[in-house]
Amino acid sequence: MNISIVGTGYVGLVSGVCFAHHGHTVICVDIDEQKVKNINKGIAPIFEKDLEEMLRSNRSRIRATTHYKDAIAHSDITFVCVGTPSMDTGDIDLTEVREAIIHIARELTDKRSFHAVVVKSTVVPGTTRDVLLPLIEKESGKKAGKEFGVGMNPEFLKEGVAIEDFLHPDRVVNGYFDVQTKDMLHALYADFSCPLIETSLTVAEMIKYASNCFLATKISFINEIGNFCKTLGIDVYTVADGMGLDTRIGRAFLNAGIGWGGSCFPKDTSALRTWAHKTQQESHLIDSVITVNNLQPMQLIKILKKYIPDLKGTTIGILGLAFKQDTDDIRESRTIPLVEILCSEGAHVKVYDPKAMKQFHTLFPNIMYCDSANKVLDADAVLIATAWDEFKTLDYSGKLVLDGRRMLEAKNTAKTYEGVCW
Ligand SMILES: NC(=O)c1ccc[n+]([C@@H]2O[C@H](COP(=O)([O-])OP(=O)(O)OC[C@H]3O[C@@H](n4cnc5c(N)ncnc54)[C@H](O)[C@@H]3O)[C@@H](O)[C@H]2O)c1
């Protein structure tokens, strides 16, 4: 099949490279000229395991451009993979999606053959059917279901293992407006060995939000149970193991700590909640999931204050700035509220992260950045905020170590060690 992909970020470029790997011809469109140049040179503009190698090995089938005309004219199906960030109100920001859709629609005006437009970006339920489909009709002057098709194919990949997740997904969800688009998507995913759900546009959108909100719920749930366990002096991880063996529950996403961050859970929980409120609905459960997550870093501060009641003038070291290990992404990292609280209480904060120092510096230019993890240890207390492997093998002798990420190895050498929920 001839495919075009609009937006070459984590989702767009990974999808493009994987479709090329499956033998399809792929044209990627991005407004970022540098990204386009890099892709055409075989250089992946983002860090993702195996991405660059696969980009290079499939170069005869994948190229990039800044021109929508070129991409739409030479493809039969377009995937929209641009960003959908949060606005300050918590709403989803559809600016990039609208822009992409308008450009695609205008190129459809003169196209003779049928073309399917498939939204892969995460958009709140109802958006594709009620906002984007009418926008394509308006801008192209054509009729959906007759002259062009519309689909919604949410993406479930995880950063860090994105290629593996794309090629071997747990399921593929194909939402469709018209049968022709349904058939095209069906053919595209025919050789994927996983269950395929073919459904409406809005169900597809809701499956994505419900999945992410449920995963965030599991983590907030185990964090609340973990806080209870802490007061009882018991280990929440044994509790999670006991729960996880129940096949109705499962062990995944029951690792207690200082909460979730990143580019998806915070914005998706917030977007679904805001959408619910705007449509005069309550969102009690999602509200609580977000509240538990916002409060969870405070649990580590509470424990710190048991040892050092007045933080003014003390030096507190933090290991880890990225929202999770193996990424340089600091979006909604739980280290952000930790630093805010410590600074507001008058502590001197020193930090280290193997990948995310530059990004964090833009948010907090006035804290101390150490060029090694060892240098952070020279502090009145050390907080572990990201589970980077290298923090396991540090020599914590003589140190007070408070762990937000279950780095139990620290216990072996620390003078005093406590976990946030264990
Ligand atoms: N990153 C993830 O782990 C992940 C997983 C599943 C779903 N998603 C969803 O997929 C979507 C994309 O996420 P991402 O992380 O890949 O985003 P990203 O920010 O990494 O990439 C977006 C890309 O779109 C480009 N772009 C913006 N406006 C454009 C336009 N008008 N025309 C062409 N290109 C344009 C940007 O230059 C950028 O390269 C979001 O809705 C996100 O919620 C992301």
Side-chain angles (χ1 to χ4, degrees):
M1 212 174 281
N2 294 317
I3 299 170
S4 51
I5 305 262
V6 176
T8 61
Y10 285 92
V11 168
L13 189 56
V14 167
S15 305
V17 163
C18 291
F19 282 138
H21 176 75
H22 272 260
H24 303 288
T25 302
V26 178
I27 307 176
C28 296
V29 187
D30 207 291
I31 46 172
D32 185 330
E33 283 182 23
Q34 194 53 47
K35 278 191 181 180
V36 166
K37 275 186 194 152
N38 281 340
I39 293 167
N40 286 332
K41 281 186 205 151
I43 301 168
I46 49 164
F47 173 72
E48 192 57 54
K49 189 169 173 281
D50 299 334
L51 181 62
E52 195 157 280
E53 293 72 17
M54 280 183 58
L55 177 62
R56 288 180 183 191
S57 58
N58 290 288
R59 266 174 90 179
S60 60
R61 283 187 297 275
I62 184 165
R63 66 180 173 90
T65 176
T66 53
H67 300 292
Y68 277 85
K69 192 177 221 38
D70 174 19
I72 303 305
H74 295 104
S75 61
D76 307 308
I77 184 166
T78 302
F79 287 86
V80 177
C81 303
V82 295
T84 49
S86 270
M87 298 200 283
D88 289 344
T89 53
D91 271 311
I92 180 177
D93 183 349
L94 283 180
T95 310
E96 288 182 21
V97 177
R98 280 177 186 277
E99 270 177 28
I101 287 286
I102 289 171
H103 281 293
I104 296 165
R106 290 184 182 164
E107 296 307 331
L108 291 182
T109 309
D110 297 326
K111 188 160 181 182
R112 296 246 180 91
S113 55
F114 184 87
H115 193 101
V117 181
V118 178
V119 179
K120 217 179 209 323
S121 299
T122 304
V123 292
V124 293
T127 304
T128 307
R129 185 193 63 198
D130 301 337
V131 179
L132 304 179
L133 184 153
L135 188 58
I136 307 174
E137 287 190 329
K138 177 171 165 265
E139 295 293 332
S140 67
K142 290 189 164 179
K143 196 83 196 122
K146 293 203 170 93
E147 297 156 290
F148 70 91
V150 180
M152 203 288 143
N153 170 223
E155 183 48 59
F156 300 95
L157 62 77
K158 299 183 288 298
E159 286 178 25
V161 284
I163 297 274
E164 173 65 19
D165 279 353
F166 191 95
L167 292 175
H168 306 287
D170 292 334
R171 78 307 210 179
V172 166
V173 176
N174 289 340
Y176 62 92
F177 176 75
D178 50 286
V179 175
Q180 231 170 312
T181 302
K182 176 191 177 192
D183 291 345
M184 287 169 94
L185 286 170
H186 192 100
L188 199 56
Y189 287 108
D191 48 357
F192 281 60
S193 53
C194 67
L196 177 65
I197 295 180
E198 297 182 310
T199 183
S200 70
L201 300 171
T202 309
V203 168
E205 290 163 335
M206 187 55 111
I207 288 172
K208 173 65 189 172
Y209 272 95
S211 299
N212 271 5
C213 290
F214 185 71
L215 292 172
T217 302
K218 276 188 98 173
I219 301 173
S220 281
F221 179 83
I222 201 64
N223 282 342
E224 186 159 285
I225 296 291
N227 297 341
F228 299 159
C229 289
K230 185 75 186 170
T231 65
L232 290 164
I234 60 173
D235 186 352
V236 65
Y237 275 68
T238 315
V239 175
D241 290 344
M243 289 170 64
L245 287 170
D246 186 326
T247 50
R248 294 168 303 177
I249 298 173
R251 179 62 180 80
F253 282 73
L254 289 180
N255 295 319
I258 50 171
W260 38 267
S263 67
C264 288
F265 289 178
K267 87 173 170 66
D268 292 349
T269 47
S270 160
L272 193 62
R273 168 168 79 165
T274 310
W275 166 81
H277 295 174
K278 278 179 117 175
T279 51
Q280 284 77 50
Q281 301 174 80
E282 306 288 344
S283 58
H284 303 296
L285 188 57
I286 297 173
D287 291 352
S288 305
V289 167
I290 295 170
T291 303
V292 169
N293 197 57
N294 289 341
L295 293 174
Q296 198 60 13
M298 274 307 293
Q299 295 294 325
L300 203 61
I301 302 288
K302 257 194 216 165
I303 298 169
L304 173 64
K305 286 192 165 182
K306 244 176 31 184
Y307 295 94
I308 311 175
D310 182 6
L311 294 170
K312 195 157 193 268
T314 60
T315 300
I316 308 298
I318 302 184
L319 291 171
L321 306 174
F323 88 92
K324 66 174 181 181
Q325 67 277 21
D326 303 326
T327 178
D328 58 1
D329 196 341
I330 61 158
R331 284 178 284 184
E332 302 288 337
S333 162
R334 299 295 77 200
T335 310
I336 296 170
L338 284 178
V339 171
E340 280 169 350
I341 297 163
L342 292 170
C343 289
S344 73
E345 301 223 0
H348 303 293
V349 178
K350 56 200 302 197
V351 299
Y352 169 77
D353 188 285
K355 288 262 188 262
M357 304 263 270
K358 209 171 96 197
Q359 295 81 336
F360 212 79
H361 189 268
T362 60
L363 289 185
F364 296 99
N366 297 325
I367 59 173
M368 193 192 302
Y369 291 84
C370 301
D371 56 16
S372 77
N374 273 318
K375 291 190 181 158
V376 166
L377 302 187
D378 186 15
D380 297 305
V382 176
L383 312 183
I384 302 179
T386 311
W388 285 102
D389 261 353
E390 67 172 269
F391 301 157
K392 288 182 185 166
T393 51
L394 294 176
D395 181 1
Y396 294 95
S397 300
K399 307 297 172 196
L400 165 61
V401 178
L402 305 177
D403 185 2
R405 295 295 181 199
R406 192 73 171 182
M407 303 293 280
L408 284 184
E409 294 80 357
K411 206 173 176 175
N412 299 333
T413 52
K415 181 176 169 216
T416 308
Y417 169 94
E418 268 207 49
V420 65
C421 298
W422 55 92

